[in-house]
Amino acid sequence: MKIDDLLLAKLQRLGSINLEEEKLQETKENLSEIVNFVENINSLELENIPASFNPLDSKGFMREDLPCGDENIAKDILSHAPLSEESFFIVPKIIE
């Protein structure tokens, strides 16, 4: 698949990026190379090849998930915060 100017313009718009004029040709070539590589992978016959890893088949050690009730942990963490009040971090407002 060849990446043309129209498709590259659409990708720039979707990605909210602006490419410099001198980088357009290089970017089109790089994207075309990536797409061709993926198309080569699609042509491989993989039906009879089992997956190499399935997390559901994992027999790894699983620890019991127990809550830690040490009250000093929260106090210690909050002591390093620039601003805190009661048991909360104070952060600057970012949304008006």
Side-chain angles (χ1 to χ4, degrees):
M1 174 181 191
K2 186 82 171 149
I3 305 294
D4 59 6
D5 292 330
L6 184 64
L7 181 56
L8 185 59
K10 183 176 181 179
L11 292 172
Q12 286 185 86
R13 185 176 43 81
L14 289 172
S16 299
I17 58 173
N18 291 319
L19 295 173
E20 298 172 7
E21 197 67 36
E22 57 271 3
K23 291 285 187 182
L24 290 177
Q25 185 60 33
E26 179 184 354
T27 303
K28 286 193 297 188
E29 291 169 2
N30 288 339
L31 288 173
S32 293
E33 189 176 327
I34 292 169
V35 170
N36 288 335
F37 179 76
V38 172
E39 286 176 349
N40 286 339
I41 292 174
N42 288 335
S43 69
L44 297 175
E45 201 165 313
L46 304 173
E47 297 297 323
N48 297 325
I49 299 176
S52 60
F53 176 74
N54 185 345
L56 299 177
D57 295 335
S58 177
K59 294 179 176 45
F61 172 75
M62 299 290 281
R63 68 171 172 81
E64 190 175 347
D65 192 13
L66 298 173
C68 179
D70 189 359
E71 295 174 11
N72 294 328
I73 292 174
K75 291 176 185 175
D76 186 39
I77 291 171
L78 285 170
S79 71
H80 298 290
L83 293 171
S84 64
E85 185 175 303
E86 295 178 14
S87 296
F88 301 98
F89 293 103
I90 306 261
V91 296
K93 186 176 182 178
I94 58 170
I95 299 176
E96 297 295 327

